[in-house]
């Protein structure tokens, strides 16, 4: 629980003083508990939740000014370079990194749940082949709720825990099948002798005609790291959506589908796709300077730049850039889009427009270039983000359900018509 500091904020309203308690977390700004404002007949007003802590959480901490991101206390760069994605999943879900035995136990559990009910495969046929993969993901992940609803009890710890394992295990299968469906290839079933990232790449790229398809270990390592870098990011739009949906007691698979919907937008997870489209549109290094002028006149946004919380380097972007360099040099790829991206970054980091607004590259700025090198098509980028973020979403859902919580129900400043009568 948060600690009461003994300090109080005093709000004076209509000549009356309201004392509001202040709490401290273990890190980050203190928070003012504004609940008592309600009794005075007022609401607080904070569109976009710029200054609102919507819950108490022990999972992830971000210091946006210093460029710090910690999962359960561990810096993201350490996790990305010293732990696997599944170890990070275990950490997010349980609070601690696994021992060797816990790790193998968890990996086995995940392996045992990679298959989806065969009926699920039929849902894909209802979609157009040219549907956006995120549209398909919203549908098929939501459809899982139909398979795990009867008998599911949100109050039951075992039911909640197996839901988390199932989601982490099945989401790569659904993501890879989404891709296969959109390109008209048969679904490839999971192989449980492979690591998490290898299995995903296998289901993405193997075909019945190429039975001996081998996943390149460099690409599997990069994929695993990309998953880790996207695993959680505290109360962002999609996680808050999952919490809000979950606060009604809704089926968890439906809640995750809601998270996927929120992630899709270009201001959130859709930015990685938008970055590559932007680089395609710019085309050559000579076009970078005129493009930046358009950014400054607000005709376009520099995708992959800026963040609601980071007003300094996004620590994920640093590791992503290193991984990008490693992958491209290991594969011997000389991607002209990387040169473009570096020129954009160079100009942005030295231009007063970006400096004054504290706009730095975020995680999505480099991830697209690596994903492209891995062979993932642009439309699938946000699906990769959703796959990796599923563990974060379900960790927050678990945390919310493991203690007392209230249904999320914000209020509003109503500026519509006052009461009137129908006159005919
Ligand atoms: N390019 C150009 N100008 C920008 C950008 C950008 N990418 N981002 C913010 N600004 C400007 C904005 O116009 C505003 O300028 P002014 O003060 O003159 O009006 C100022 O910077 C503050 O921007 P804001 O819109 O108030 O910032 P926000 O915190 O509401 O928005 C953001 C954060 C991520 C939505 C925004 O920076 C953005 O749209 N970035 C591009 C999309 C992107 O890369 N998103 C991925 C975020 S990281 C992955 C994730 O966690 O989802």
């Amino acid at each position: 629980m948060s600690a009461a500091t003994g300090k109080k904020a005093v709000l004076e309203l209509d000549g009356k003083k309201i004392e509001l308690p202040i709490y401290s977390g273990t890190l980050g700004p203190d928070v003012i508990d504004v609940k008592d404002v309600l009794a005075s007949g007022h609401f607080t007003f904070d569109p976009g939740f710029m200054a609102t802590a919507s819950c108490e959480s022990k999972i992830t901490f971000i210091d946006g000014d210093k460029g710090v991101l910690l999962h359960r206390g561990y810096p993201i760069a350490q996790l990305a370079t010293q732990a696997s994605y599944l170890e990070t999943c275990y950490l997010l879900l349980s609070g601690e990194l696994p021992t060797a035995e816990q790790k193998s136990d968890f990996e086995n559990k995940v392996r045992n749940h990679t298959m989806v009910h065969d009926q699920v495969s039929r849902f894909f046929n209802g979609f157009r082949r040219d549907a956006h993969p995120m549209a398909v993901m919203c549908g098929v992940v939501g459809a899982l709720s139909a398979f795990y609803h009867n008998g599911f009890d949100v109050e039951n710890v075992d039911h909640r825990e197996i839901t988390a394992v199932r989601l982490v295990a099945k989401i790569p299968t659904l993501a890879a099948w989404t891709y296969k469906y959109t390109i008209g290839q048969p679904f490839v079933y999971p192989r449980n002798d492979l690591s998490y990232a290898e299995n995903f790449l296998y289901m993405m790229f193997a075909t019945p005609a190429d039975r001996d398809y081998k996943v390149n270990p460099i690409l599997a390592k990069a994929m695993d790291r990309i998953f880790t870098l996207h695993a959680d990011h505290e109360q962002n739009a999609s996680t808050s959506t999952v919490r809000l949906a979950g606060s009604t007691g809704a089926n968890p698979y439906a809640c995750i589908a809601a998270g996927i919907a929120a992630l899709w937008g270009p201001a959130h997870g859709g930015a990685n796709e938008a970055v590559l489209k932007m680089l395609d549109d710019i085309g050559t290094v000579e076009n970078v300077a005129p493009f930046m002028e358009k950014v400054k006149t607000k005709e376009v946004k520099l995708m992959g730049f800026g963040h609601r919380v980071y007003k300094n380097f996004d620590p994920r972007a640093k590791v992503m850039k290193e991984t990008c360099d490693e992958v491209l040099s290991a594969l011997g790829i000389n991607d002209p889009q990387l040169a473009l991206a570096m020129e954009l970054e160079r100009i942005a980091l030295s231009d007063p427009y970006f400096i004054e607004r504290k706009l730095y590259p975020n995680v999505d700025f480099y991830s697209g270039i690596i994903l492209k090198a891995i062979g993932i098509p642009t439309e699938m980028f946000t699906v990769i983000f959703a796959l990796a973020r599923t563990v974060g979403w379900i960790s927050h859902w678990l945390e919310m359900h493991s203690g007392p919580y209230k249904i999320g129900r914000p209020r509003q400043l109503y500026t519509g018509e006052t009461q009137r009568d129908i006159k005919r």
Side-chain angles (χ1 to χ4, degrees):
M1 274 295 287
S2 54
T5 56
K7 285 192 281 177
K8 295 208 186 305
V10 180
L11 182 69
E12 203 170 315
L13 272 173
D14 305 329
K16 279 198 201 134
K17 287 191 174 160
I18 307 173
E19 288 197 340
L20 304 171
I22 297 182
Y23 309 131
S24 277
T26 46
L27 289 169
D30 289 350
V31 300
I32 304 169
D33 182 342
V34 294
K35 272 195 301 297
D36 291 347
V37 172
L38 186 62
S40 75
H42 291 79
F43 296 145
T44 56
F45 185 56
D46 182 19
F49 303 115
M50 302 288 286
T52 295
S54 61
C55 63
E56 186 178 327
S57 182
K58 292 181 169 53
I59 301 174
T60 291
F61 173 75
I62 302 174
D63 183 332
D65 293 326
K66 296 199 181 113
V68 170
L69 168 60
L70 310 176
H71 292 322
R72 304 283 191 184
Y74 296 107
I76 187 62
Q78 287 182 28
L79 290 169
T81 53
Q82 295 172 43
S84 70
Y85 174 68
L86 279 187
E87 286 175 299
T88 307
C89 289
Y90 185 96
L91 173 72
L92 289 167
L93 292 166
S94 75
E96 294 297 335
L97 279 166
T99 60
E101 199 186 333
Q102 287 165 336
K103 181 180 169 194
S104 112
D105 225 46
F106 182 65
E107 286 176 352
N108 283 336
K109 262 196 204 158
V110 170
R111 278 199 183 103
N112 275 328
H113 289 278
T114 51
M115 295 275 286
V116 292
H117 191 294
D118 206 43
Q119 269 319 102
V120 175
S121 64
R122 318 277 167 95
F123 279 92
F124 287 86
N125 288 331
F127 288 98
R128 291 166 59 114
R129 293 272 177 183
D130 63 355
H132 193 284
M134 282 298 276
V136 180
M137 285 293 282
C138 287
V140 293
V141 174
L144 286 181
S145 59
F147 295 82
Y148 304 104
H149 192 69
N150 298 342
F152 174 78
D153 176 8
V154 78
E155 302 297 329
N156 184 315
V157 184
D158 295 338
H159 288 197
R160 294 200 300 263
E161 279 179 10
I162 193 65
T163 298
V165 170
R166 280 194 182 121
L167 272 160
V168 170
K170 292 183 200 309
I171 202 89
T173 311
L174 293 177
W177 285 10
T178 294
Y179 174 55
K180 289 297 198 190
Y181 182 76
T182 58
I183 57 167
Q185 284 187 6
F187 297 147
V188 173
Y189 283 86
R191 257 185 52 192
N192 292 346
D193 57 320
L194 300 177
S195 74
Y196 192 82
E198 280 172 335
N199 180 44
F200 172 63
L201 293 175
Y202 173 78
M203 290 188 289
M204 284 283 292
F205 300 120
T207 63
D210 180 10
R211 281 163 215 227
D212 296 329
Y213 179 84
K214 292 264 176 313
V215 176
N216 180 336
I218 298 168
L219 301 189
K221 188 177 157 209
M223 196 73 255
D224 195 79
R225 191 173 283 183
I226 289 174
F227 290 159
T228 304
L229 290 171
H230 286 94
D232 190 44
H233 214 226
E234 51 117 308
Q235 314 309 326
N236 54 80
S238 55
T239 304
S240 298
T241 301
V242 171
R243 278 191 183 255
L244 198 57
S247 77
T248 69
N251 179 291
Y253 299 90
C255 296
I256 298 300
I260 293 174
L263 184 76
W264 190 2
H268 193 6
N272 51 14
E273 183 178 339
V275 169
L276 265 237
K277 290 211 172 105
M278 173 186 77
L279 294 177
D280 273 346
D281 289 346
I282 298 174
T284 60
V285 172
E286 298 74 62
N287 295 336
V288 168
F291 175 81
M292 290 305 248
E293 286 313 308
K294 281 196 200 161
V295 172
K296 291 197 281 183
T297 53
K298 299 192 197 282
E299 268 175 78
V300 286
K301 261 192 177 174
L302 180 54
M303 299 312 287
F305 260 71
H307 199 275
R308 169 60 60 80
V309 180
Y310 294 119
K311 300 302 170 196
N312 196 323
F313 254 92
D314 178 339
R316 303 169 298 173
K318 276 189 186 164
V319 186
M320 199 64 92
K321 167 84 170 49
E322 281 162 26
T323 311
C324 187
D325 292 341
E326 273 168 38
V327 171
L328 295 188
S329 85
L331 297 178
I333 295 176
N334 185 10
D335 187 342
Q337 286 193 320
L338 182 64
L340 260 186
M342 290 179 71
E343 180 62 4
L344 278 174
E345 188 189 44
R346 189 191 65 75
I347 298 186
L349 294 180
S350 57
D351 189 303
Y353 178 94
F354 295 91
I355 296 170
E356 279 159 20
R357 290 169 179 77
K358 299 188 175 163
L359 298 171
Y360 292 90
N362 60 48
V363 67
D364 289 326
F365 192 62
Y366 288 105
S367 65
I369 293 169
I370 316 179
L371 289 172
K372 190 177 152 213
I374 293 177
I376 311 268
T378 316
E379 293 70 36
M380 280 293 291
F381 288 1
T382 315
V383 172
I384 304 287
F385 195 154
L387 184 172
R389 184 55 61 84
T390 293
V391 73
W393 291 329
I394 205 67
S395 301
H396 284 269
W397 176 87
L398 282 175
E399 181 175 72
M400 185 177 69
H401 282 289
S402 62
Y405 65 92
K406 282 196 167 302
I407 184 172
R409 179 39 169 110
R411 305 308 296 260
Q412 64 174 2
L413 171 64
Y414 177 70
T415 53
E417 297 290 345
T418 55
Q419 183 167 335
R420 52 183 170 165
D421 296 319
I422 299 176
K423 290 195 177 102
R424 284 200 176 121

